[in-house]
Amino acid sequence: MTTTLIIFLVICLVLACTFEFVNGFHDTANAVATVIYTNSMKPTVAVVYSGILNFIGVLTGGIAVAMGIVNLLPMEVLVDSNVYHGIAMILALLLSAIIWNLGTWWLGLPASSSHTLIGSIIGIGLAFYFLPDNVGGSAVNWDKAKDTGLALLISPLAGFTVAILMMFIFKRLVKNEFIYKEPIPGKMPPIWIRMLLWTTCGLVSFFHGQNDGQKGVGLVMMILIAILPASFSLDADINLQSTNANVMVINKIISATDTTQFGKEEFKNFSTIKKHAAHFAEATNGKAFSEAVALTDRFELRKDIVKITKSAEKLLKSANVAISKNDAETLKTEIKSAKKLVEYAPSWVIIMISVSLGLGTMIGWKRIVKTIGEKIGKQHMSYAQGASAEMVAAMGIGVASAYGVPVSTTHMLSSGIMGSMVAKKGLKNLQRKTITNIFLAWVLTLPVTMVLSGALFLLFRAIL
């Protein structure tokens, strides 16, 4: 690898850590605002506490969400024959995401880092349509983008609705009027309220690390695969023959399927599995681990596994594919096992992102905390409102992380605060100007980052 390429790789990795660092202090406010504004925890203690749990969340979060980020761009876009085109993609993506995050943070607006990242990635994909050689036919993985977009759309609606329901449950179960009143400045609430808010703050921080931290891991893996595909396309610790056994079972089950009801799309996926299964078996014949495979061939093996598993998953979902329940379960198990070869992240990547997110959590949180704590509702946040919003956010992010879906911590918590305010005195309890500004930031995030990242990509690609 040339010195120039090493420099660009380092720059890209530093920018990825910077994004996660900014994500830390941009989104920390969502976790600590409630404990700070209810006098349940001192600000310094709260951000350190949140930072530590964010760190732990990344370490224990797995990589399902990370791979969801990587898979937003098809492999043809991710790995270009010219490595500097890949660098142009990464630089544009990261810079646009960082610029928007810093801009909204400076204005004190709780915008979504998830939306920012997704918008930047889609902008890169769409920009391929404007390249002279027009390679953009499959520039965005729209199936993955739809799933991701749906999750990001539902999260604020869910946060708002469930927070109202949570406040209703609180009022039914807890008759102590103290928790529904505004906190007395400088006075700590009873220990049981503090413990509840400590717990909910910790859960939001932990699950934020599991979900948002994985996005940072996904970014780094995208960088490594784009710039060094030979070294990071495959997990060197996975036995290729074990994966080949998974592929053979997938191919066998699909081959035995009745194809008389297949449509054009089913036949396409059927043929894709057959083609790539044959290539994978041939390319891995007599080879135990990826180190035995030529550097130039490793990315092709990654492509085989991605194509096989994605096509098999699509056939499983198709109404035209008749398959027994046992075969369907076996297919799911084999697909999951086969993916282990390509869906991974080295320990150093996870630790690096954990540290970046944890440190970022402890800095720069005040601007957005003030918006969440003082400017969403016309009244100061009560103990019950803070607990309701935090519980909703923790549950939502936890479920999303379990299913490998990226959701917005910002949207879940901010909309939860809005819901808790509405539950008390209706819509009139919201500050219209603040809500308008927040929604405007939410609405603009995707289109602005798409345009910004796409434009930067075309510029950098022309320069590099």
Side-chain angles (χ1 to χ4, degrees):
M1 188 164 60
T2 66
T3 303
T4 303
L5 201 56
I6 292 173
I7 292 172
F8 274 118
L9 175 61
V10 171
I11 291 172
C12 289
L13 290 176
V14 169
L15 285 175
C17 290
T18 301
F19 170 81
E20 207 58 36
F21 182 83
V22 174
N23 184 13
F25 69 68
H26 193 283
D27 286 7
T28 297
N30 301 298
V32 301
T34 52
V35 290
I36 291 174
Y37 272 85
T38 55
N39 303 317
S40 298
M41 192 178 284
K42 292 182 178 180
T44 304
V45 176
V47 294
V48 172
Y49 171 62
S50 179
I52 292 171
L53 286 170
N54 265 287
F55 177 87
I56 296 172
V58 182
L59 289 180
T60 59
I63 57 162
V65 174
M67 290 302 108
I69 296 298
V70 173
N71 293 333
L72 272 174
L73 289 175
M75 288 171 294
E76 293 79 6
V77 176
L78 188 59
V79 178
D80 196 291
S81 57
N82 184 336
V83 69
Y84 289 98
H85 291 170
I87 292 171
M89 175 192 74
I90 296 300
L91 288 175
L93 190 160
L94 292 170
L95 285 173
S96 57
I98 291 169
I99 289 169
W100 183 254
N101 264 2
L102 284 175
T104 51
W105 165 79
W106 182 258
L107 295 172
L109 295 175
S112 168
S113 296
S114 300
H115 277 71
T116 302
L117 182 57
I118 303 303
S120 298
I121 292 174
I122 293 176
I124 297 292
L126 292 176
F128 269 70
Y129 286 111
F130 299 97
L131 294 177
D133 50 354
N134 192 23
V135 298
S138 60
V140 178
N141 187 339
W142 289 114
D143 288 335
K144 194 67 183 177
K146 281 192 297 183
D147 292 343
T148 303
L150 185 62
L152 293 173
L153 178 65
I154 290 174
S155 58
L157 298 175
F160 182 81
T161 305
V162 179
I164 294 176
L165 179 62
M166 194 69 71
M167 282 293 291
F168 175 79
I169 294 173
F170 258 112
K171 289 179 180 178
R172 285 279 183 178
L173 299 179
V174 183
K175 301 300 182 180
N176 189 338
E177 288 297 318
F178 181 79
I179 72 167
Y180 306 108
K181 295 180 180 179
E182 294 183 18
I184 301 171
K187 184 177 180 180
M188 283 191 173
I191 185 63
W192 67 273
I193 293 179
R194 275 182 282 157
M195 290 183 65
L196 173 63
L197 290 167
W198 292 344
T199 301
T200 55
C201 170
L203 288 172
V204 171
S205 301
F206 176 76
F207 287 126
H208 174 263
Q210 284 204 326
N211 200 280
D212 277 51
Q214 282 194 56
K215 294 163 195 167
V217 172
L219 272 178
V220 174
M221 290 308 298
M222 191 180 289
I223 292 168
L224 296 175
I225 294 170
I227 299 178
L228 299 170
S231 300
F232 293 95
S233 293
L234 306 173
D235 187 344
D237 295 328
I238 299 295
N239 190 305
L240 294 176
Q241 296 311 310
S242 175
T243 304
N244 192 39
N246 302 139
V247 170
M248 289 174 65
V249 174
I250 294 171
N251 190 29
K252 181 180 178 181
I253 293 174
I254 295 300
S255 298
T257 305
D258 181 8
T259 61
T260 57
Q261 300 300 314
F262 278 15
K264 183 179 179 180
E265 190 64 26
E266 285 81 18
F267 270 117
K268 179 182 176 182
N269 290 319
F270 182 84
S271 300
T272 297
I273 292 172
K274 305 284 289 181
K275 172 186 173 182
H276 287 279
H279 177 268
F280 188 86
E282 181 182 353
T284 58
N285 185 34
K287 299 178 176 70
F289 295 94
S290 60
E291 62 186 18
V293 180
L295 291 174
T296 53
D297 296 335
R298 292 179 190 176
F299 187 75
E300 290 303 314
L301 292 183
R302 178 186 181 86
K303 185 184 292 186
D304 286 335
I305 295 301
V306 173
K307 293 284 188 181
I308 290 166
T309 54
K310 294 301 179 187
S311 296
E313 286 174 337
K314 288 180 180 179
L315 287 176
L316 265 175
K317 295 177 182 178
S318 175
N320 296 326
V321 178
I323 188 170
S324 70
K325 185 176 180 180
N326 285 339
D327 280 348
E329 290 303 316
T330 300
L331 202 54
K332 290 177 183 177
T333 301
E334 298 299 325
I335 289 171
K336 185 176 180 180
S337 295
K339 282 183 176 181
K340 291 178 181 178
L341 182 63
V342 297
E343 296 192 348
Y344 81 105
S347 298
W348 66 267
V349 171
I350 297 173
I351 293 171
M352 181 174 71
I353 292 300
S354 301
V355 172
S356 300
L357 183 63
L359 290 176
T361 300
M362 301 178 193
I363 298 171
W365 48 272
K366 290 184 180 180
R367 288 179 180 274
I368 296 175
V369 161
K370 189 172 182 180
T371 298
I372 292 175
E374 298 179 11
K375 297 181 179 180
I376 289 180
K378 290 182 178 178
Q379 295 179 317
H380 197 296
M381 185 192 306
S382 70
Y383 306 113
Q385 288 171 326
S388 296
E390 293 274 22
M391 289 170 69
V392 168
M395 288 188 296
I397 303 163
V399 170
S401 297
Y403 283 93
V405 177
V407 295
S408 169
T409 304
T410 302
H411 286 193
M412 288 292 295
L413 200 288
S414 298
S415 57
I417 296 291
M418 294 178 199
S420 69
M421 293 293 176
V422 170
K424 189 171 184 180
K425 289 189 176 181
L427 291 172
K428 64 181 181 180
N429 201 30
L430 297 176
Q431 294 195 44
R432 182 175 297 180
K433 183 179 179 180
T434 301
I435 302 303
T436 300
N437 289 338
I438 290 174
F439 275 110
L440 189 61
W442 289 2
V443 170
L444 290 177
T445 295
L446 278 177
V448 169
T449 51
M450 285 167 63
V451 171
L452 183 58
S453 65
L456 286 175
F457 170 68
L458 295 176
L459 174 63
F460 292 152
R461 189 174 167 114
I463 294 173
L464 295 176

